[in-house]
Amino acid sequence: AKLRESPFDVVVTDLRMSGERDGLTILEAIKGGQVRRPGAITPEVILVTAFASADTALAAMKLGAYDYLTKPFHVDEINAVIDRALEKKQLVEQNAALRERVAGRSRLAQLLGKSRGMQKVFELITKVHSTKTSVLITGESGTGKELVARALHTEGARAAAAFVAVNCGAIP
């Protein structure tokens, strides 16, 4: 219930608890997105237990636990694990934000123009972006060929792959 109310960066839970849920069930619910607010990044989950076994440790890691600590542990040890989990979560958030910014820059909507020529370019991009064919873009220097190529790539089926711009004029 608390995870649905507000976002958390790290969840530290015991493997065995009273009631119907155990740590693995909570881990599965968190990593499966069942208790996450829409748009929130999944918190890192650290499991602690006094009943450690190789099977439960393996199950926890397969379900996506950040770490698995056995009791008794030192406060310094769990603080270090929490710090690393927070650092990882921060890196994941920064990565997601950067990907969003990069993707936003090369969207078709970033190409501006009302002229008949630009409208033709928009129509061509819309027609071609979903095909599996290669496209040769020509034009004078500074006309936005790379922007068109990026828009084609970002809107197309290969958007998940890397985009590599080649300046043919720079090749001797």
Side-chain angles (χ1 to χ4, degrees):
K2 291 287 184 187
L3 286 165
R4 285 187 192 103
E5 291 172 16
S6 60
F8 286 85
D9 294 325
V10 177
V11 173
V12 180
T13 182
D14 204 321
L15 184 65
R16 289 192 184 174
M17 295 179 280
S18 60
E20 59 188 63
R21 293 200 172 159
D22 64 358
L24 290 177
T25 305
I26 291 173
L27 171 64
E28 195 170 17
I30 291 170
K31 292 300 180 177
Q34 299 155 356
V35 293
R36 183 179 58 216
R37 288 173 40 172
I41 293 181
T42 305
E44 295 299 331
V45 180
I46 300 168
L47 282 170
V48 294
T49 185
F51 307 98
S53 74
D55 291 338
T56 56
L58 185 62
M61 293 304 163
K62 281 185 177 180
L63 289 172
Y66 179 79
D67 209 335
Y68 182 91
L69 299 173
T70 56
K71 295 178 189 175
F73 51 80
H74 295 285
V75 174
D76 293 341
E77 181 183 4
I78 195 162
N79 283 340
V81 172
I82 291 171
D83 287 344
R84 286 194 314 269
L86 286 170
E87 185 178 341
K88 178 186 175 201
K89 185 166 188 309
Q90 185 180 25
L91 288 172
V92 168
E93 287 174 343
Q94 287 173 349
N95 189 348
L98 287 172
R99 284 179 184 270
E100 193 174 298
R101 282 178 50 197
V102 168
R105 285 186 180 165
S106 55
R107 290 304 236 208
L108 186 59
Q110 293 295 316
L111 293 173
L112 301 174
K114 292 183 179 180
S115 69
R116 187 171 297 161
M118 280 305 294
Q119 294 306 313
K120 284 184 180 180
V121 171
F122 294 148
E123 288 174 24
L124 281 171
I125 290 172
T126 305
K127 284 181 186 176
V128 176
H129 75 74
S130 60
T131 64
K132 290 187 176 184
T133 187
S134 296
V135 178
L136 175 64
I137 303 169
T138 61
E140 293 181 31
S141 179
T143 57
K145 296 179 295 293
E146 188 175 331
L147 288 173
V148 171
R150 284 184 189 277
L152 276 168
H153 176 79
T154 304
E155 296 295 322
R158 300 178 197 162
F163 175 81
V164 180
V166 177
N167 181 355
C168 295
I171 301 172

